[in-house]
Amino acid sequence: GIFDFDQAVKNLEELNTRAEDPALWNDQKAAQLMMQERTRLDQAITGYRNLERELDDALGLAELAEEEKDEESFAEVVDALSELQSRATKLELESLLSGEADENDCFLEVHAGAGGTESQDWAEMLLRMYVRWAGANSYKVEWIEESAGEEAGIKSATIRISGAMAYGWLKTESGVHRLVRISPFDSNARRHTSFASIWVFPVVDDNIDIEIDEKDLRIDTYRASGAGGQHVNRTDSAVRITHLPSNTVVQCQAERSQHRNRAAGMSMLRARLYEAELQRREEESQALNSQKSDIGWGHQIRSYVLQPYRLVKDLRTNIESTNPDAVLDGDLDEFMAASLAQRVGILGVEPSDSAESESQ
C-alpha cells in the first residue's frame, strides 16, 4: 500500500494536465514544487514499467532457452534476473523514502578528527569518495567551503549535492568513519588509525518557517583559503556564522562577495536547524538513537581497513566489502541500501550486535 501504482498513474495524468496551464507559472515556487512532484512520479512509474517489460523479456527468453536446452542463453537470463532484482530493491527503497525532506538536495560536511595530517588526508579521501558517488549517480556537486590541511588533506569541507532523493539516500551516512592503514606520512611505515566525521543535512526552501533571532548569531569574516584567485586571498570575503543557542557553526567561502557568502551561510544554518528538528521528531516517533546525536570518536558507523587485511565493514548492518578500492572510489550503493532498509525495517536487515564492541 505504500506505492499505489494505479493511483500514481492518475496523479501523474492530473499533474501533466496542470503543467499545460499557462497560469501555473504565476506562482513560481508552487509551480516548481509541482514540477518536482511530476518528475518524481514520472521517474517512479517509468522505472516500474521498465522493470516489468524487462522481466517479461527475461522470462520469455528463459522459456526458449529451456526448450532448446541452450545453457548459454539460460545463464544470460540468470544474470539479467539478478540485475533486475537489485534494481527492484532500489526502487522499493526509494518508494519508502517518504520523509518530508527526503526528496531535497543536501549539504554534506566532512571534518577531520584528531591526528593531524593523517586524519586530514583521510577527510579528503572521504570527500572524494562522496563526490565520486554523486557523479556516478548523476548528481550535481557544488563546493561551498573547504579548509586545507597544513601539509596535506583538508581540515573540513562542505559541498552541496543536488538531485532527486539526494538527502534521502545520503542521510544515513552521517557519523564517524574510521580508516586503518600503513601511513604514507610515517617514515617507519607503521599502521595508523584515523577518524573523520560526515554530517548530511537537507537543503530547505523559503516555504519552511525557521525563526532565527539575529541576537543569537555571531558572524565572523576571514580570508578564504585554497584556490580561488587573487581576490579571495586579499579580502575578508569568507563568512563563519555561529548560532549560539545550539552552538551550530556554518562556513561559506564559495562566492567572492561577502554578502553572498553570508546569504549562503544563513541558508546552510536554516538547513542545519531544520535537520536537527527532523532528527528530534524521528527519535520521538521511532524511539531510536540518532546517528548524529553525538558524533564522537567512539561512535563509528563504518570501518575501512587497508592493513593488515582489506575490508570495509558497516558496523550498523554488518554489510562488508573486500574491495575497499572500489568503495573509496564511490561504490557505496550496497551500504546505503542496507542502512536505509534497516531504518525503514525491510529486507530483513537487523542491527549489528557487535557494532558497539567493534566501534571501540
Side-chain angles (χ1 to χ4, degrees), residues 110-157:
V110 55
H111 296 272
T117 301
E118 183 67 28
S119 292
Q120 290 165 14
D121 186 56
W122 172 223
E124 186 173 46
M125 290 169 64
L126 278 178
L127 180 63
R128 174 186 177 276
M129 180 179 75
Y130 287 108
V131 170
R132 288 294 184 94
W133 175 85
N137 288 275
S138 301
Y139 287 113
K140 177 184 176 183
V141 177
E142 175 186 356
W143 255 257
I144 303 298
E145 180 272 336
E146 181 175 315
S147 297
E150 285 86 358
E151 298 180 22
I154 57 173
K155 296 178 181 177
S156 66

Side-chain angles (χ1 to χ4, degrees), residues 1-2 23 56 78-79 86 159 167 169 185 233 295 309 316 332:
I2 292 174
D56 288 340
V78 172
D79 291 340
S86 297
I159 58 175
Y167 176 67
W169 278 108
F185 306 102
N233 293 322
I295 302 184
Y309 49 87
R316 302 162 298 177
L332 293 167

Side-chain angles (χ1 to χ4, degrees), residues 201-217:
F201 49 101
V203 174
V204 298
D205 57 36
D206 294 335
N207 293 324
I208 298 175
D209 185 20
I210 300 175
E211 295 183 4
I212 299 178
D213 197 326
E214 285 288 333
K215 67 180 178 60
D216 291 334
L217 301 179

Side-chain angles (χ1 to χ4, degrees), residues 315-360:
L315 304 178
R316 302 162 298 177
T317 63
N318 277 332
I319 294 295
E320 297 181 356
S321 171
T322 55
N323 189 355
D325 292 337
V327 174
L328 292 172
D329 205 33
D331 186 8
L332 293 167
D333 287 350
E334 183 180 12
F335 293 98
M336 290 181 180
S339 58
L340 286 170
Q342 182 187 90
R343 192 161 181 159
V344 298
I346 66 172
L347 305 184
V349 178
E350 298 295 337
S352 167
D353 294 333
S354 59
E356 182 63 26
S357 61
E358 290 192 45
S359 69
Q360 304 300 325

Side-chain angles (χ1 to χ4, degrees), residues 277-341:
E277 173 64 16
L278 289 179
Q279 197 68 47
R280 184 189 66 79
R281 292 184 199 172
E282 182 173 338
E283 289 175 358
E284 290 181 352
S285 63
Q286 299 186 18
L288 293 175
N289 292 324
S290 166
Q291 294 295 338
K292 288 194 330 60
S293 58
D294 179 14
I295 302 184
W297 302 142
H299 294 77
Q300 297 94 316
I301 65 169
R302 192 173 300 144
S303 289
Y304 307 72
V305 181
L306 306 185
Q307 292 289 341
Y309 49 87
R310 297 176 63 78
L311 179 71
V312 178
K313 181 173 183 177
D314 194 291
L315 304 178
R316 302 162 298 177
T317 63
N318 277 332
I319 294 295
E320 297 181 356
S321 171
T322 55
N323 189 355
D325 292 337
V327 174
L328 292 172
D329 205 33
D331 186 8
L332 293 167
D333 287 350
E334 183 180 12
F335 293 98
M336 290 181 180
S339 58
L340 286 170

Side-chain angles (χ1 to χ4, degrees), residues 20-263:
E20 296 173 359
D21 184 359
L24 172 68
W25 294 97
N26 292 339
D27 186 339
Q28 294 282 332
K29 290 182 179 179
Q32 289 175 358
L33 289 174
M34 193 277 286
M35 295 302 289
Q36 288 175 1
E37 175 65 11
R38 179 192 179 199
T39 300
R40 185 189 69 82
L41 271 177
D42 184 57
Q43 290 176 342
I45 291 170
T46 300
Y48 176 85
R49 284 175 170 163
N50 287 342
L51 279 177
E52 193 174 41
R53 185 187 68 254
E54 292 176 38
L55 176 60
D56 288 340
D57 292 343
L59 293 178
L61 180 60
E63 291 178 0
L64 291 175
E66 186 175 11
E67 291 175 1
E68 300 178 5
K69 308 297 183 183
D70 187 345
E71 295 184 1
E72 184 176 344
S73 295
F74 199 80
E76 292 179 7
V77 171
V78 172
D79 291 340
L81 289 175
S82 177
E83 194 268 339
L84 286 174
Q85 183 180 33
S86 297
R87 284 166 53 192
T89 299
K90 185 173 182 179
L91 285 176
E92 181 181 13
L93 282 169
E94 287 181 345
S95 73
L96 294 171
L97 293 177
S98 56
E100 60 184 273
D102 283 352
E103 295 181 13
N104 293 23
D105 301 343
C106 68
F107 294 109
L108 184 146
E109 288 185 1
V110 55
H111 296 272
T117 301
E118 183 67 28
S119 292
Q120 290 165 14
D121 186 56
W122 172 223
E124 186 173 46
M125 290 169 64
L126 278 178
L127 180 63
R128 174 186 177 276
M129 180 179 75
Y130 287 108
V131 170
R132 288 294 184 94
W133 175 85
N137 288 275
S138 301
Y139 287 113
K140 177 184 176 183
V141 177
E142 175 186 356
W143 255 257
I144 303 298
E145 180 272 336
E146 181 175 315
S147 297
E150 285 86 358
E151 298 180 22
I154 57 173
K155 296 178 181 177
S156 66
T158 304
I159 58 175
R160 174 173 175 161
I161 300 177
S162 303
M165 295 290 181
Y167 176 67
W169 278 108
L170 284 162
K171 63 184 179 182
T172 59
E173 291 298 294
S174 292
V176 176
H177 297 243
R178 179 181 69 172
L179 172 70
V180 180
R181 66 171 177 176
I182 300 296
S183 172
F185 306 102
D186 188 335
S187 58
N188 293 319
R190 291 173 294 188
R191 191 172 65 164
H192 285 244
T193 299
S194 307
F195 299 95
S197 66
I198 297 295
W199 191 353
V200 179
F201 49 101
V203 174
V204 298
D205 57 36
D206 294 335
N207 293 324
I208 298 175
D209 185 20
I210 300 175
E211 295 183 4
I212 299 178
D213 197 326
E214 285 288 333
K215 67 180 178 60
D216 291 334
L217 301 179
R218 184 177 73 240
I219 300 177
D220 302 307
T221 58
Y222 60 98
R223 293 189 180 184
S225 61
Q230 295 180 349
H231 178 86
V232 296
N233 293 322
R234 292 204 313 264
T235 62
D236 292 341
S237 59
V239 174
R240 180 185 297 110
I241 303 175
T242 304
H243 184 248
L244 299 175
S246 63
N247 197 32
T248 300
V249 181
V250 296
Q251 301 178 95
C252 184
Q253 63 180 43
E255 304 288 343
R256 290 188 175 187
S257 164
Q258 183 183 118
H259 296 292
R260 290 184 179 179
N261 281 330
R262 173 168 174 162

